[in-house]
Amino acid sequence: MNSHARGPRLPTPRGPLSAAVTAYLRGTGPLPRPAEAEAADPYGDDPQLALYLCYELHYRGFAGVDPKLEWDPELLRVRAALERRFLSALRSDTPGHDSLDDTLGALLVEPVDGSGVTHFLCAEGVLWQLREYAAQRSLYHLKEADPHAWVLPRLWGRAKAAMAAVEYDEFGGGRADRVHARLFAALMADLGLDTAYGRYLDAAPAEMLAVVNLMSLFGLHRELRGALVGHFAEVEITSSPGSRRLAEAMRRTGAGPAAEFFYDEHVEADAVHEQVVRHEVIGGLLAEEPELAADVAFGIDATEYLEDQLARRLLTDWRAGRSSLRTPLTAETSHTS
């Protein structure tokens, strides 16, 4: 079987960087110069899509793209330039806490008058907004937990054992029908969305690409293992209350049983994961490498910063009555890939 034919199609470029990377993947043009990547807006559509294209070669790749390009030296050089620009901006722009204890403490406080995306969807969201939310999040949830698996060879002892236990749950505990990515595909089907992997890449704005790219950035670099653990902690600690609100939104709008189940499942599972991640993954990591505390805090803070940017985009558009997507959704017949 020709493996070049597998994977989603390449997306439409959004500027000179992503156009050049796309052309290189197709074998029809040269890559951009690293200096061009380092001069771009780090959060813009063009560099974020270019970086996403580079990272996706480490997941399922793209139809018609030679798998050998995953380790192409010239492409890796461009990727490194995009990463330097992105990471430098995050270190400069992310509001930080004084200590890891302060960072974790802030995560554990659930605001009484929360005003984020899940609060909005729970209280007043309508079905088209839930569909858009699911379409955007599908860029991660259809490969849920995959970016985090890269950290396992970089941990040992308590941290490794605990991280592996949480990942085992994310991958269905040995049951294919319980893999969280498959459960999210069922949610998408309930919402009348196409469940094909990568289907909504063209529609997702830069803010969503940045959220997913952050996971790949942290996961693919051993020196950023502390930041990856921090990112994972932020996701797991905030997931349970957010999932409870999203489950209620799905019920209130009649989204469907699979849509409800996905978030109900995360309410219970992530409440347990939160304790394991805080006490065993972070605790175990810092027992071995206490010097990584600042990196763990940065991973948490950078994740919150990008999620806040995404939330601002979604809520600004939705409150104005317009789509948050680059190309609004249409009625579709869902299918699995």
Side-chain angles (χ1 to χ4, degrees):
M1 183 176 189
N2 182 3
S3 63
H4 292 38
R6 304 186 68 173
R9 66 176 180 80
L10 283 164
T12 302
R14 303 185 190 183
L17 291 171
S18 53
V21 172
T22 300
Y24 190 77
L25 295 179
R26 286 181 172 142
T28 60
L31 286 165
R33 292 180 295 109
E36 296 175 65
E38 292 181 331
D41 171 9
Y43 308 116
D45 273 293
D46 188 30
Q48 285 298 324
L49 180 58
L51 188 54
Y52 194 100
L53 291 169
C54 293
Y55 285 148
E56 193 56 39
L57 299 178
H58 299 290
Y59 295 100
R60 299 195 196 179
F62 294 98
V65 173
D66 190 338
K68 293 178 182 177
L69 287 172
E70 178 182 4
W71 299 111
D72 180 85
E74 296 304 315
L75 187 60
L76 291 175
R77 188 172 291 114
V78 172
R79 193 192 92 185
L82 290 163
E83 289 177 326
R84 284 193 297 271
R85 184 72 178 107
F86 187 31
L87 187 58
S88 175
L90 286 170
R91 292 197 185 280
S92 174
D93 298 341
T94 297
H97 292 82
D98 292 334
S99 69
L100 176 56
D101 287 342
D102 289 341
T103 306
L104 286 170
L107 280 184
L108 293 169
V109 176
E110 177 72 5
V112 176
D113 56 347
S115 57
V117 171
T118 62
H119 291 87
F120 173 87
L121 291 173
C122 181
E124 55 185 296
V126 293
L127 200 54
W128 70 265
Q129 292 162 341
L130 289 169
R131 296 181 77 237
E132 287 198 353
Y133 184 77
Q136 294 212 39
R137 290 292 184 184
S138 70
L139 270 62
Y140 165 63
H141 280 303
L142 291 182
K143 60 185 174 196
E144 184 168 343
D146 289 350
H148 308 125
W150 279 317
V151 83
L152 285 170
R154 291 133 190 205
L155 303 175
W156 58 91
R158 284 169 54 204
K160 187 183 193 110
M163 188 76 186
V166 175
E167 287 283 275
Y168 183 68
D169 285 348
E170 302 286 349
F171 293 131
R175 292 178 53 187
D177 62 316
R178 300 286 293 191
V179 171
H180 285 190
R182 180 168 289 189
L183 296 180
F184 193 81
L187 171 150
M188 294 177 72
D190 265 4
L191 291 170
L193 296 171
D194 190 330
T195 64
Y197 181 89
R199 166 65 177 80
Y200 296 104
L201 176 54
D202 271 328
E207 293 86 350
M208 187 67 240
L209 299 186
V211 167
V212 182
N213 282 340
L214 184 73
M215 304 180 203
S216 300
L217 171 65
F218 289 166
L220 283 167
H221 291 273
R222 187 174 64 83
E223 67 174 341
L224 295 174
R225 62 194 178 281
L228 188 282
V229 166
H231 159 78
F232 194 61
E234 199 279 343
V235 170
E236 295 298 325
I237 290 172
T238 61
S239 174
S240 188
S243 293
R244 184 176 293 106
R245 288 187 287 270
L246 289 169
E248 177 55 35
M250 296 295 176
R251 273 187 282 273
R252 181 176 56 77
T253 58
E260 296 172 23
F261 181 77
F262 178 82
Y263 288 112
D264 282 334
E265 170 77 3
H266 280 69
V267 171
E268 180 178 347
D270 291 344
V272 176
H273 293 171
E274 178 258 315
Q275 296 290 323
V276 174
V277 172
R278 275 201 301 133
H279 297 296
E280 297 302 316
V281 180
I282 294 178
L285 176 68
L286 297 184
E288 298 281 355
E289 301 181 278
E291 69 276 11
L292 294 183
D295 288 350
V296 175
F298 170 66
I300 294 171
D301 290 333
T303 302
E304 285 201 323
Y305 176 69
L306 292 181
E307 287 286 357
D308 286 346
Q309 287 190 327
L310 175 61
R312 192 174 303 114
R313 166 69 181 257
L314 296 176
L315 294 176
T316 297
D317 286 338
W318 289 344
R319 285 172 174 150
R322 62 176 178 260
S323 173
S324 64
L325 300 174
R326 299 178 75 250
T327 52
L329 297 174
T330 56
E332 300 170 300
T333 300
S334 63
H335 66 276
T336 57
S337 60

